[in-house]
Structures are given as structure tokens and as C-alpha cells.
Amino acid sequence: MSAFALVDGNSFYASCERVFRPDLIGKPIVVLSNNDGCVVAASAEAKALGLKMFGPYFEIADQCREYGVTVFSSNYALYGDMSRRMMAILADFAPRQEIYSIDECFLQLDGLEDKQERARAMRENIWRRIGIPACVGIGPSKTLAKLANHLAKKHAEHGGVFSWEGRPEPEIDALLAAIPVGKVWGVGPRLAPRLAEELEITSALELKRADPRLIQRSFGVTLERTARELAGVSCLALADIAPPRQQIISSRSFGEKAARLETLASAVSFHVAHAAEKLRAQQSVASLIAISIRTSPHQEDPYRGYTVIPLSPATDDTLALTRAALNGLRQIFRPGRRYLKAGIVLLELAPRALRQTDLFSEPVDPRRAQLMKTLDAINQAHGRGKIKLASEALTADWEMRKDQRSPCYTTDIRQLLEVR
């Protein structure tokens, strides 16, 4: 029988911050999104205060001050590096691993003995080596492993590890009956109301017992697989390698509204450089680039400019992509408006090795590929943006707010933690 473990870091962003701020142990923490706009993560202590989570920060700012909540701007360099360390630790505990998100991964435990003991060792290693609390769920399918993880978090008496293995069927059904169907992986808040309205399914147990053919006819094969997984039939295999992205998006709201074309050009150039680096990392080229800018949707006469520029031949060259993006930006820019957000999307991605040549275009200069390789190597070694196009540096007044960001303790030697 298949056996999967789902491991995730508890309140991951808040826990990463707390690793380097032991004075915050037991105290409430919230982490804000880009531009300090919304709450994206909170420690258990902050949730216990009843603060409204995942909404605009300004709505709870006064309460945070009143309750002494420590507020952080997002520090993705720190979270990404802590995630890399956590995943490296977990890779030693199973022959196969699927990294599902920055704080979650599946492990295949087929044929391994003492799975719960192994799960406890995972938790202990993650805590001892990087200071992140984690929970582990074990089940015969990935969907049940996710629910097991949910139960491990919700019920402290399990000590952070919950397994369906060896439990009698009545106990399993009783636990599934207490879980709302919206908590099931693959259902969520979007499908849950439809399931309740059309089939009167409100719990995980009712979905498990539903007729798979009826589920398929009404909701498609994906939800049918979810129902089978709840019944203990493994339908979702582990993916060793994430498939290449089909599109790459980079966009961001401005710290202050921008009116000048130069400001928008700096932002667009930054986004192109960021996306192009990802494009080269997955060894793809793009055939189209889309550029968008918009004012606030809440102001009178809002404006959204959007255009798509074809790239011939398809390319991963930052210079060529930036040139196309700035041409597109000039087409959609309207003077006299104050813009809130700009971004780009790389579309129609294909493997670089299969790039379609164009009879009427200039041949690709092989030296440009070496230039991009050198650019990426320098920026990876010395920090993103160490070398950039001049257009990125036209102005800096578009950059997002990150007033309360913690130091990059693990990725910038100048910001190492000082111990006195």
C-alpha cells in the first residue's frame, strides 16, 4: 500500500522571523504582503487575539499597537533560504520528495518501517537544526496525508504527528465526518458551496462516500480522484520535478502612485529582468511579452493599459525583452494619470533547445547567451540587481514599501546576526 507524509512548517513566515528574534517566543507576530498592504501570515498567538487575518493591514493596525503585536514586512530572501534548508533536511528521510510549496513537501514512505517514529525524527531534526516547528501527516494517499497534517495541527495531543495507519474504520469515519468538505485538498471554499447545494455534501466523510461516477459527471474527473483518495485509493503520484512554468509573471504595486513615464519604465525593466532570470533558469524562451499598467480601481475614471508584443525569434535575452517591453509601455502610457501598479507577463514559453528560428529575423548572436549567463552568475553570487540595465535605475521612487523588513540573516553577509 502507498504511504505519503505531508510535512509543513507551522506559521512558516512568522516562525522564520522568530528564529532570529528569540525575544519574540510566545509573543504575537504578523507578516505583511508586498508593500505592507495585507496580512499574509500570523503566529498562533496573533490568531488567538482574534485579529482579522488575510485582510488589509490598516484595518488591524490600531489593534496590533494595542496588543503589542510585532509586525514584519515580508522578507522572501529569508523565507526562501529557510525553506531550502528545511527541504534539504527532509530529503534525508525518504527516497522521494515533492516540494509542494515554500513550507510544505510530500515524502513517499512506501515500504519504510516505523513511519510515525520517522515522522517524529523529522520534526525533531527540523526544530533542532533550523528552529522551525513543523507538523507531519501520514496517509495512504496525498489527500489523506494533507488531512492528517490538518489533524496534527489542530489536536495538540498528537504531538505534531498524525497517521491514519492502523486506525479502525469507525474512528477514521468519525474524524472525517468532523472535517468540513471545504478543508479537503482540491475542494476549498470555491467548490464547497456547490457540493452542499447540488449534492448535499458538507463533510469529508460525505465526499468519501459519494458515488464517484456522480461526482465525475457533476464536477469532473479531478474531484472524482479526490473522492477516491479520501477512500484510501492513491490516485495522485509524487512529482519529483516541478513542470516548467507555462508563463512567468512579475508585477507589483508602487509604494507611491507614479505619474512619470520614467518611473514606469524603471519598474517594467525591473520586472523584465526578474522574469528573464527565471526564464533562463528553466531553459525556456518566450514568444510574447505582455505589459500592463493601471491606476487605482477605486478612483474616478480608472485606467488599465495592456498590450502584448510578439518576440521574433523567441528569446530569453533580457536586453531584447526589455526593448520590447518599453516599446509596449510607450503605447499604453497615458500622461496625466497616477499609476498604482505595473507588471509584465512572459507568454508562449517553449524549451530553448527547440526554439523556432525566423527566416526574416537577425540570427541569434551566441555571445548574447554567454552575456546572460555571466549576468546571472554575477547576480547569484553577489546579490540580485548587482548588475542591471540602466533603464532599471532611471528612478527609484516606484519601489515598494518594506518599512519593517527584518535583516537577510542567512543570505547577506553584511546582515549577519550579531551576538554580543
Side-chain angles (χ1 to χ4, degrees):
M1 176 180 281
S2 299
F4 298 90
L6 188 279
V7 190
D8 78 334
N10 300 344
S11 305
F12 187 71
Y13 291 177
S15 296
C16 289
E17 300 288 357
R18 191 174 272 158
V19 169
F20 299 93
R21 289 283 308 274
D23 58 304
L24 296 179
I25 292 173
K27 297 180 180 175
I29 297 171
V30 298
V31 180
L32 307 180
S33 63
N34 285 339
N35 245 341
D36 293 350
C38 295
V39 177
V40 294
S43 66
E45 296 83 359
K47 292 174 184 172
L49 291 172
L51 300 173
K52 183 182 177 184
M53 295 290 115
F54 311 112
Y57 170 60
F58 71 84
E59 292 184 356
I60 64 165
D62 289 341
Q63 289 175 285
C64 287
R65 283 188 284 273
E66 180 185 350
Y67 295 142
V69 177
T70 303
V71 180
F72 289 96
S73 304
S74 295
N75 185 345
Y76 293 112
L78 174 66
Y79 311 150
D81 187 64
M82 295 298 285
S83 171
R84 180 186 62 77
R85 293 168 189 238
M86 186 175 87
M87 300 307 172
I89 292 170
L90 290 170
D92 290 336
F93 284 89
R96 296 184 64 205
Q97 177 185 38
E98 175 190 340
I99 299 174
Y100 179 65
S101 66
I102 192 169
D103 63 340
E104 286 181 286
C105 80
F106 287 102
L107 298 169
Q108 190 125 33
L109 305 180
D110 298 11
L112 298 178
E113 300 292 332
D114 300 325
K115 297 181 184 62
Q116 292 192 53
E117 198 55 42
R118 183 177 291 260
R120 292 188 187 93
M122 293 176 199
R123 291 188 75 236
E124 193 276 329
N125 264 266
I126 295 169
W127 174 253
R128 178 170 50 81
R129 293 165 66 178
I130 61 171
I132 299 291
C135 283
V136 186
I138 299 172
S141 66
K142 292 171 76 175
T143 303
L144 282 174
K146 285 278 281 187
L147 282 185
N149 184 281
H150 166 73
L151 293 170
K153 273 201 177 73
K154 191 172 180 183
H155 301 286
E157 65 270 22
H158 297 303
V161 174
F162 182 89
S163 173
W164 297 106
E165 192 177 54
R167 295 182 185 273
E169 198 67 23
E171 182 186 349
I172 293 173
D173 286 353
L175 288 166
L176 291 179
I179 299 174
V181 72
K183 288 284 185 186
V184 176
W185 187 41
V187 178
R190 186 175 59 85
L191 280 181
R194 280 190 59 203
L195 279 167
E197 183 179 341
E198 297 178 25
L199 300 179
E200 297 183 347
I201 292 175
T202 59
S203 71
L205 178 64
E206 289 168 343
L207 183 57
K208 170 191 171 183
R209 290 179 173 173
D211 181 350
R213 290 167 299 182
L214 177 61
I215 295 292
Q216 184 181 358
R217 279 200 303 274
S218 303
F219 293 90
V221 69
T222 302
L223 194 61
E224 180 212 354
R225 280 202 297 260
T226 298
R228 292 186 186 279
E229 288 234 322
L230 285 174
V233 180
S234 176
C235 303
L236 303 172
L238 220 59
D240 291 310
I241 301 172
R245 296 179 179 89
Q246 298 302 304
Q247 62 180 23
I248 298 176
I249 302 172
S250 182
S251 66
R252 187 182 295 170
S253 297
F254 302 138
E256 301 289 340
K257 290 179 183 174
R260 297 192 302 152
L261 178 62
E262 291 81 3
T263 304
L264 294 172
S266 286
V268 166
S269 299
F270 170 85
H271 292 310
V272 170
H274 186 58
E277 186 179 341
K278 291 183 178 178
L279 186 68
R280 291 190 290 271
Q282 69 172 36
Q283 300 186 28
S284 297
V285 290
S287 295
L288 299 170
I289 182 168
I291 306 95
S292 67
I293 53 176
R294 70 169 172 83
T295 61
S296 170
H298 305 296
Q299 72 181 52
E300 188 177 347
D301 189 24
Y303 170 72
R304 180 175 186 266
Y306 180 83
T307 189
V308 178
I309 305 292
L311 303 162
S312 182
T315 185
D316 61 0
D317 186 314
T318 299
L319 280 73
L321 291 165
T322 303
R323 189 182 308 116
L326 294 182
N327 284 338
L329 173 64
R330 284 189 281 271
Q331 293 173 22
I332 58 178
F333 177 74
R334 300 290 181 270
R337 296 180 180 273
R338 293 177 62 79
Y339 295 89
L340 180 65
K341 189 172 185 177
I344 65 100
V345 187
L346 300 180
L347 299 160
E348 292 201 5
L349 308 189
R352 183 192 298 149
L354 303 178
R355 171 165 32 196
Q356 186 74 39
T357 57
D358 186 331
L359 183 64
F360 302 103
S361 299
E362 291 286 331
V364 177
D365 186 342
R367 293 176 299 176
R368 293 291 284 268
Q370 183 57 47
L371 176 62
M372 292 300 109
K373 190 175 178 181
T374 304
L375 178 74
D376 292 341
I378 293 173
N379 284 334
Q380 286 167 13
H382 300 284
R384 178 171 289 163
K386 183 60 67 176
I387 292 185
K388 56 189 175 186
L389 301 188
S391 57
E392 285 187 64
L394 288 174
T395 69
D397 53 358
W398 62 275
E399 293 183 346
M400 65 178 179
R401 285 195 299 268
K402 42 189 176 183
D403 300 334
Q404 298 166 91
R405 201 194 71 177
S406 55
C408 296
Y409 298 105
T410 62
T411 55
D412 189 336
I413 197 167
R414 296 164 300 181
Q415 299 180 36
L416 284 175
L417 186 66
E418 292 184 13
V419 179
R420 298 175 180 172

